[in-house]
Amino acid sequence: MLTSILDVLIAGLLLGGLYALIAMGLSLQYGVARVFNISHGEFIMLGGMATLTLFTVFKINPLIAIVICGPITFVLGYIIHRTFFRHLLTSLPIFGEITILCTLFLWTVFRILADYNYVRLNQFAALAICLVIAIILDFALNRTAFRRIHESRVAAGVFESTSMLFSFGLMFIIKNIAFIGWGPSIRSYSFLQQPVSIAGALFGMNRLVTLGFSILIGLAFYFFLTRTRIGKAIRAAASDPTVAQLMGVNINQVLALCFGLGAAMAGIAGVLISMCYPVNANMGIEYTIIAIIVVALGGLGSIPGSFIGGFALGIIGSIVSFFEPGLALVAYYFIFGLLLLIRPKGILGK
Amino acid sequence: MWRKAIGYSLPVIICLLLLLIAIPGCQQAATPTAPKTTAPATVATATKPTTPAASPSATAAKPTKDKIIVGMSRPLSGPLSVIGDSAFRPIYETWVPRVNAEGGIYVKEYGKKLPIELKIYDDKSDVGTMTRLTEKLILEDKVDFLWPACGTSFLFAQAPIANKYNYVLITAEGGATSLKDMLPSLPYVFVSLSFSDWYEVPVLADLLAAKGAKTAYIMYIADLHGIEYSGVAGIELPKKGINIVGIKSVPPDIKDLSPIIKEAKALNPDAFLALAYPDQVMPATATSMELDFNPKAWLGGPGVNFGFYHTAFGPAVEGVLGWTTFARKSSPKLAELADILYSGKPEETNDWWGHPLYWAALDMWKAAIEKAGTLNQKAIRDILATEHLETVLGDTWFTIIGGGGGLLAKECHPGEVGQWINGVFEVVGPVDKATAQFVYPKPPWPKK
Amino acid sequence: MNKISFNYSKLLLPGILLAILVVLATLPLYGSNYSIVLLTSIIMYVILTVSWALFSGSTGYISLATAAFFGVGIYTSAILGRTFTASILANEYFVVFIVIIGGLISACLAFIVGAITLRLRGIYFAIFTFGLVELIKNLLLWYEVKFTGTRGRFVVVIGNETIYYVILGILLLLLLVTYFIRRSRYGLALESIGEHEEAAAHIGINVTMVKVIIFAISAVFVGMTGSIMAMRWTYIDPYISFDPNLTFLPVLMAIFGGTRQMYGPIIGAVVFAYLEEILLTRFPYYYMLIFGIVLAATILYLPNGLVGVVQKIIARLAGGKHAHSRG
């Protein structure tokens, strides 16, 4: 009996660790950068698929892949916020966004033409040509049409809806690129799949490693927020962007940083997920949904809340699965709905 | 003020005029397409589904036809793309160029070989979109033939539509007892894939009973597939004296399977059946390894039959059972097929269950057209329903259910149950078609 | 902006709408068979989008429960279709009856949900309603697997033209209801709730009642559409019925079109649905990529949605002088 209680609790913690990590990323993006990022799961997918490729093709240990995927997704998120979301926030077109969109578009056109055998060109050469055309166009537009547009900060509510809509577009784009690159097939690899016994209860080594890393990253992030200068700037920006800006915080920089960090957490979560579960180019949306639930459960924008919410959801799921696996998801949504009704701002919401 | 009134009413008038022009325009747009096929026949089939009218391509005199257009609505994106991309897609992408390289399919009516042209739409794994695109293919594009959508529930929606317009539909991914029950009313539908009681689970029950298995634990996915397989297993296994000690359904979105594996481990069954899709069979395998759960027989399907399963776990899955159709040793023809499909490609692309059946379905389609000498759906349907045709499986035919549609005869299946033996997914059941001896009990998961 | 142009621009819109409706109603007489099928699905999106915008567009409460009401309609249709014999179902009035029942059950659900959740604000309401969809879906799945032993259900099949006319009727009803609500004191009440809820309560509006009633009304149409679309899809299961896409797409479409005007969501839905159809059939392998780029570019460079563009065009048509005052 004691063993099975322990069993259930630890299984919940193991699942909860992953949930917490996923949710913290989204919480950061929503709480500070005010982007309700529907494409959050796609960064998880990118992390997972990249790890798989690194492991199977280049034989790189998934734990080392954390160090590779984390920074890459960070840079990706940072660039995306620095260009697109900043444009949405200030209604000022920014050099780079046309380059990205136009490169993608021209590349798509090229792929379609290549499919019909109208053009025969090396992939990389085509990409380079697309990039050059896009940069020239971007430069020209910034010199002419965009010069007349002046910066004007949009209202928070407007930004929330446009940024959410934009993240939808982003989700489609990232997913389709992943489909082209990796194909839709399900894949997994074996890593550390050996049993470990904790007081009579058996667990996979890889899951324990996952839990360890989630807690480690959660704690590291907490200290980063509370002990460093940038962390203070982030917290200031979260509580009041305008005042923070008046106090000398480079708000655009901080918001982009937060978005990037959120993306990096998603990427790392993807790496950890790929150690335990199969991955495919289509997996993003289900993790986005889990992240949304956990974030709402813990209180929107509250990072410790997301951390606790993740573990709470994991344990609830584990307890219910023990009795009736068919009702685990029902329980998630029921508890979540109930909590929202009783405490509309979540566990740690203000 | 009046000037303004005119200014505002002008756009309204322009719009109305445009619409008035558009109405006859539409009429004209609709008529030119009509002579291509016979308009009355199409209209009749569309408005009165019950009237057995000739198919659109049947009555039309098309002396200048130079290709056979085949339409498909496939899940190129969305959750089902995982299945569609690895199952039927590689088959048609290999089969069609091979046929076209020979000049196409000889149709006597036109006195020449006609190449096949594919028209593929993306249904984003959504049934509503699929039904709409299927009707688009039939009504607007007027394709000569319809090839199947992906997934059993999609077939449920697509089969009645194909049947309504009298289009022959040979299915690929998907098959179920409930689809079998519908076949008497769907004379144009032919199911190619093997499924639970056609004839996989009974064979499994025989295999396990012969080795003396007494107990089984079933984990199944809470969908059509899982309910069906667990239902059939719940009938067939006890028939052979195998007691089912536990049965659990799992919703498709759930991630952590350890509670179920733990429960199964506590009950210590001889056989463990994971009747789910790859995205659950693979974690179930991983969790079984982690928790050191070693039943004498471990079956998962669909999932175990794919090359990517073996790629993911390597030699650790030695002895794991799954549903299958063939192995290289089944017949020289099938060995050749395996070479055509898999040699020079990564192991991940292998599918030892569906591929030969889909290939055989296309072979039958081609043979039926050649035999009929026409693209008339009715004539082809009748040949498919009555004749034995030569395919990659050898002599192949459909078993007709209740005078309606058919199932690919189970006598034609080269195998039902497979097992990973020395890194090859061998056929172990039925015994007379086996390419290797059934290993029971399976070797335990390797200790790392 | 003077008074006269205001009045005429109001006349212009119903005029165009009426003309379009006349064309739509007579379409089966001369259109191709597929045009009916395509329009049925476009109209479905228009209904979902407009009824979403009816409540969420003016109050600012983002409801993600569209799929829940839609799915309830679908299941009503599936269960009622099973209960009655085929001979009754051949009667087209009976189809209308099923559709109305579907709408009413959805409205009841919306009423209950509205009554208990409308005290949630902003994004919390959105997330709760989204959770509701998933809750119903998983509960239904569990129930079906555990107790009925099946997962999917077959729905009675009826002709495409019947479906088309029913869905057109629902659209017409919805547009009329939306139009009159927007002009009535309920519409004004909704607007004031959207602008400042406390202030609205202080000036004597029964905020909760208005919100719940409008929420239920918008659900009626979604449920009705679900009931009729089930008959088109012929086979349904919880995953098909409670597809999250059906909640997200109307929101996207409405914002894409612009929610301020009544015709914004309509334009958004039509353009969006037609764009999707073209991409799915012409460029199936790059559908999401092109879709995503178009979506992103629209949000970045057309901040007022398609309505902004349309307004500019109307203003230009109606005399260049006012082009800037509306922009």
Side-chain angles (χ1 to χ4, degrees):
Chain A
M1 186 60 205
L2 195 67
T3 316
S4 64
I5 290 175
L6 198 69
D7 231 21
V8 169
L9 281 182
I10 295 179
L13 282 178
L14 294 178
L15 200 60
L18 272 182
Y19 288 179
L21 193 59
I22 297 167
M24 278 197 299
L26 186 67
S27 186
L28 193 60
Q29 291 176 340
Y30 181 75
V32 187
R34 308 308 288 173
V35 179
F36 200 75
N37 186 12
I38 304 290
S39 63
H40 190 64
E42 305 313 314
F43 289 92
I44 298 175
M45 181 269 292
L46 284 181
M49 295 303 283
T51 312
L52 186 109
T53 309
L54 289 173
F55 184 76
T56 50
V57 180
F58 302 105
K59 310 275 176 249
I60 292 174
N61 189 314
L63 293 176
I64 296 169
I66 293 180
V67 193
I68 301 169
C69 293
I72 289 176
T73 41
F74 172 78
V75 171
L76 207 59
Y78 187 82
I79 291 174
I80 288 171
H81 194 279
R82 233 14 237 259
T83 51
F84 301 113
F85 289 110
R86 194 168 153 205
H87 175 175
L88 291 175
L89 201 60
T90 59
S91 56
L92 187 71
I94 286 148
F95 185 80
E97 56 179 50
I98 298 268
T99 310
I100 298 172
L101 282 183
C102 194
T103 308
L104 281 174
F105 183 73
L106 289 174
W107 183 68
T108 317
V109 172
F110 160 77
R111 297 271 314 197
I112 290 168
L113 290 177
D115 282 358
Y116 286 106
N117 281 322
Y118 289 137
V119 283
R120 284 172 188 282
L121 203 60
N122 180 287
Q123 286 282 333
F124 295 102
L127 197 62
I129 293 171
C130 295
L131 194 65
V132 169
I133 298 174
I135 289 175
I136 292 170
L137 185 76
D138 198 353
F139 199 69
L141 277 174
N142 270 293
R143 272 301 166 90
T144 56
F146 293 164
R147 286 206 107 165
R148 280 182 283 145
I149 302 171
H150 298 291
E151 177 167 343
S152 65
R153 244 165 215 284
V154 300
V158 176
F159 178 70
E160 239 168 66
S161 77
T162 52
S163 64
M164 187 175 91
L165 210 56
F166 186 85
S167 68
F168 255 106
L170 206 59
M171 176 185 91
F172 285 122
I173 294 173
I174 297 176
K175 199 185 268 188
N176 203 153
I177 292 175
F179 263 87
I180 293 171
W182 284 297
S185 57
I186 286 188
R187 287 175 236 186
S188 79
Y189 57 88
S190 353
F191 177 70
L192 291 178
Q193 264 162 355
Q194 59 234 36
V196 174
S197 170
I198 306 169
L202 277 177
F203 295 96
M205 185 72 178
N206 49 4
R207 277 164 221 262
L208 289 175
V209 168
T210 307
L211 176 67
F213 268 91
S214 320
I215 294 175
L216 198 69
I217 291 165
L219 287 179
F221 189 67
Y222 184 74
F223 285 116
F224 169 74
L225 275 188
T226 49
R227 298 287 155 88
T228 63
R229 269 184 77 81
I230 306 173
K232 275 192 185 128
I234 290 176
R235 283 188 296 144
S239 56
D240 196 327
T242 330
V243 174
Q245 200 168 15
L246 288 176
M247 306 309 271
V249 174
N250 183 347
I251 192 82
N252 288 328
Q253 193 78 29
V254 168
L255 296 187
L257 196 70
C258 284
F259 194 82
L261 280 175
M265 278 191 195
I268 292 171
V271 176
L272 297 176
I273 284 171
S274 75
M275 291 183 200
C276 309
Y277 304 107
V279 289
N280 71 79
N282 212 25
M283 66 189 232
I285 188 74
E286 56 181 303
Y287 288 103
T288 308
I289 292 174
I290 289 176
I292 293 174
I293 299 174
V294 176
V295 166
L297 202 65
L300 282 175
S302 157
I303 289 158
S306 301
F307 195 70
I308 297 169
F311 283 105
L313 203 67
I315 290 171
I316 292 164
S318 180
I319 293 171
V320 178
S321 303
F322 179 73
F323 295 107
E324 175 64 57
L327 282 176
L329 289 165
V330 176
Y332 282 4
Y333 293 107
F334 186 74
I335 302 258
F336 152 80
L338 206 65
L339 189 94
L340 269 188
L341 289 178
I342 299 165
R343 247 190 93 81
K345 300 266 153 156
I347 299 173
L348 287 187
K350 278 161 266 171
Chain B
M1 185 186 150
W2 284 108
R3 233 166 40 112
K4 271 182 185 158
I6 295 165
Y8 277 100
S9 50
L10 208 63
V12 181
I13 297 165
I14 292 172
C15 284
L16 281 173
L17 276 176
L18 277 176
L19 287 171
L20 282 176
I21 299 164
I23 292 170
C26 285
Q27 248 164 335
Q28 269 166 6
T31 26
T33 52
K36 277 188 203 156
T37 60
T38 62
T42 340
V43 172
T45 42
T47 46
K48 286 182 193 159
T50 44
T51 321
S55 79
S57 49
T59 38
K62 282 175 280 183
T64 54
K65 191 155 186 67
D66 52 5
K67 59 194 170 196
I68 300 173
I69 298 174
V70 174
M72 268 188 284
S73 163
R74 303 285 305 166
L76 302 176
S77 59
L80 278 177
S81 55
V82 176
I83 302 169
D85 194 69
S86 59
F88 190 43
R89 184 171 166 183
I91 296 300
Y92 67 72
E93 282 185 348
T94 317
W95 192 85
V96 171
R98 280 173 68 88
V99 171
N100 282 349
E102 294 166 5
I105 301 176
Y106 181 76
V107 187
K108 204 173 154 205
E109 195 181 3
Y110 305 103
K112 61 177 173 184
K113 282 188 169 181
L114 300 179
I116 302 161
E117 188 184 291
L118 294 179
K119 202 176 194 85
I120 301 168
Y121 294 159
D122 178 14
D123 61 28
K124 30 169 215 168
S125 305
D126 171 43
V127 169
T129 311
M130 190 277 295
T131 53
R132 191 176 84 228
L133 293 177
T134 302
E135 292 204 67
K136 182 184 170 71
L137 288 167
I138 295 172
L139 292 173
E140 192 172 80
D141 303 328
K142 302 195 162 60
V143 292
D144 296 309
F145 286 96
L146 195 64
W147 281 2
C150 170
T152 310
S153 52
F154 281 60
L155 293 179
F156 283 141
Q158 194 182 35
I161 296 175
N163 202 66
K164 176 167 116 182
Y165 295 108
N166 296 341
Y167 265 74
V168 169
L169 182 72
I170 306 178
T171 69
E173 304 95 339
T177 43
S178 35
L179 191 60
K180 186 167 86 179
D181 297 341
M182 283 165 76
L183 284 178
S185 60
L186 298 171
Y188 282 84
V189 178
F190 298 90
V191 178
S192 64
L193 192 63
S194 54
F195 53 88
S196 56
D197 67 348
W198 196 261
Y199 201 67
E200 295 170 344
V201 180
V203 170
L204 177 75
D206 282 338
L207 274 182
L208 292 177
K211 295 285 183 184
K214 286 280 166 274
T215 51
Y217 184 94
I218 297 173
M219 168 200 121
Y220 68 98
I221 187 166
D223 87 342
L224 202 67
H225 168 87
I227 293 165
E228 152 135 6
Y229 272 73
S230 61
V232 174
I235 296 166
E236 296 291 339
L237 295 182
K239 263 191 205 166
K240 299 278 154 45
I242 299 166
N243 196 12
I244 292 171
V245 290
I247 184 159
K248 269 271 154 73
S249 80
V250 189
D253 294 333
I254 205 153
K255 281 272 152 274
D256 186 19
L257 297 171
S258 58
I260 295 157
I261 305 289
K262 276 174 188 161
E263 188 187 288
K265 192 179 177 187
L267 291 166
N268 192 25
D270 290 335
F272 175 78
L273 276 57
L275 305 171
Y277 295 120
D279 53 345
Q280 293 196 305
V281 169
M282 287 164 78
T285 312
T287 313
S288 297
M289 287 180 194
E290 286 157 23
L291 300 179
D292 206 25
F293 169 50
N294 273 305
K296 293 191 184 107
W298 199 105
L299 179 135
V304 176
N305 54 299
F306 293 110
F308 60 75
Y309 182 81
H310 191 255
T311 314
F313 296 106
V317 295
E318 199 60 24
V320 174
L321 292 163
W323 311 122
T324 191
T325 299
F326 80 126
R328 274 179 209 267
K329 281 183 265 172
S330 288
S331 78
K333 257 185 174 175
L334 287 169
E336 198 191 322
L337 177 68
D339 284 339
I340 293 166
L341 290 172
Y342 308 141
S343 61
K345 289 191 188 135
E347 191 193 24
E348 290 171 11
T349 57
N350 300 5
D351 170 7
W352 300 100
W353 178 5
H355 280 172
L357 298 176
Y358 311 145
W359 189 283
L362 295 184
D363 278 350
M364 287 196 84
W365 175 75
K366 176 170 178 265
I369 293 177
E370 279 168 352
K371 202 152 198 169
T374 166
L375 298 184
N376 184 327
Q377 306 277 341
K378 175 90 175 57
I380 290 163
R381 186 262 150 195
D382 287 343
I383 287 175
L384 285 174
T386 52
E387 310 247 349
H388 287 214
L389 299 163
E390 188 60 26
T391 71
V392 72
L393 303 179
D395 192 28
T396 314
W397 67 96
F398 284 107
T399 306
I400 298 303
I401 308 293
L407 301 174
L408 191 78
K410 62 185 175 231
E411 292 81 358
C412 306
H413 295 170
E416 308 285 353
V417 179
Q419 189 173 32
W420 284 101
I421 299 169
N422 297 326
V424 177
F425 200 55
E426 301 277 10
V427 175
V428 294
V431 180
D432 56 328
K433 290 173 182 168
T435 57
Q437 278 287 317
F438 179 34
V439 179
Y440 181 92
K442 83 170 196 64
W445 310 112
K447 290 258 189 282
K448 277 175 203 164
Chain C
M1 183 74 10
N2 60 41
K3 212 176 172 185
I4 292 163
S5 65
F6 184 63
N7 281 338
Y8 282 107
S9 74
K10 282 211 162 167
L11 255 182
L12 175 77
L13 199 67
I16 296 176
L17 265 179
L18 193 70
I20 292 173
L21 282 174
V22 168
V23 173
L24 286 178
T26 51
L27 190 81
L29 299 177
Y30 52 82
S32 72
N33 282 319
Y34 180 65
S35 63
I36 300 173
V37 176
L38 176 61
L39 272 169
T40 306
S41 99
I42 291 179
I43 292 175
M44 175 191 95
Y45 282 125
V46 173
I47 294 174
L48 296 188
T49 311
V50 173
S51 46
W52 179 85
L54 171 64
F55 176 74
S56 301
S58 41
T59 57
Y61 280 79
I62 296 189
S63 155
L64 294 178
T66 313
F69 305 137
F70 195 82
V72 167
I74 286 182
Y75 264 80
T76 313
S77 182
I79 292 165
L80 284 183
R82 268 277 179 82
T83 321
F84 297 98
T85 56
S87 59
I88 306 178
L89 287 167
N91 189 339
E92 281 170 14
Y93 294 108
F94 192 76
V95 173
V96 177
F97 169 72
I98 289 183
V99 166
I100 290 171
I101 298 279
L104 289 179
I105 294 178
S106 287
C108 293
L109 177 70
F111 199 83
I112 298 165
V113 171
I116 58 172
T117 62
L118 280 171
R119 68 192 195 94
L120 296 174
R121 288 289 171 81
I123 203 90
Y124 292 95
F125 178 72
I127 297 174
F128 182 90
T129 45
F130 181 72
L132 179 77
V133 177
E134 297 288 319
L135 176 66
I136 298 179
K137 174 169 91 180
N138 285 296
L139 202 58
L140 192 65
L141 181 70
W142 177 76
Y143 174 82
E144 292 273 61
V145 171
K146 193 93 182 171
F147 296 103
T148 59
T150 57
R151 178 181 163 197
R153 282 165 182 273
F154 290 96
V155 189
V156 58
V157 184
I158 57 171
N160 286 346
E161 276 183 36
T162 318
I163 293 175
Y164 177 72
Y165 277 116
V166 171
I167 207 162
L168 198 61
I170 299 171
L171 175 67
L172 195 64
L173 205 63
L174 171 65
L175 291 181
L176 284 176
V177 167
T178 312
Y179 186 71
F180 285 116
I181 285 180
R182 282 198 160 227
R183 325 209 78 200
S184 71
R185 51 197 188 89
Y186 277 108
L188 289 174
L190 279 178
E191 289 289 334
S192 53
I193 290 170
E195 265 151 34
H196 203 292
E197 194 165 338
E198 280 80 16
H202 279 298
I203 57 169
I205 297 170
N206 188 343
V207 174
T208 314
M209 195 193 71
V210 170
K211 282 192 297 186
V212 171
I213 287 178
I214 302 292
F215 193 53
I217 290 177
S218 75
V220 170
F221 297 100
V222 179
M224 284 163 91
T225 315
S227 309
I228 193 71
M229 286 312 280
M231 298 181 197
R232 227 199 95 55
W233 294 350
T234 63
Y235 174 81
I236 53 118
D237 66 30
Y239 273 75
I240 296 170
S241 315
F242 296 88
D243 183 356
N245 276 332
L246 289 171
T247 39
F248 287 130
L249 281 178
V251 183
L252 283 181
M253 288 170 173
I255 299 175
F256 189 63
T259 49
R260 280 279 145 217
Q261 265 73 20
M262 185 181 148
Y263 59 93
I266 305 178
I267 294 174
V270 171
V271 171
F272 217 88
Y274 193 67
L275 180 73
E276 190 188 73
E277 168 83 9
I278 290 176
L279 292 180
L280 285 177
T281 53
R282 293 281 167 79
F283 312 113
Y285 297 97
Y286 305 97
Y287 146 71
M288 287 188 293
L289 195 50
I290 303 176
F291 198 68
I293 294 171
V294 170
L295 194 64
T298 315
I299 301 152
L300 288 174
Y301 304 110
L302 303 174
N304 297 325
L306 290 179
V307 164
V309 183
V310 172
Q311 274 181 332
K312 271 187 189 154
I313 292 169
I314 291 180
R316 288 265 158 80
L317 274 177
K321 277 188 246 172
H322 299 295
H324 292 294
S325 57
R326 289 186 177 221

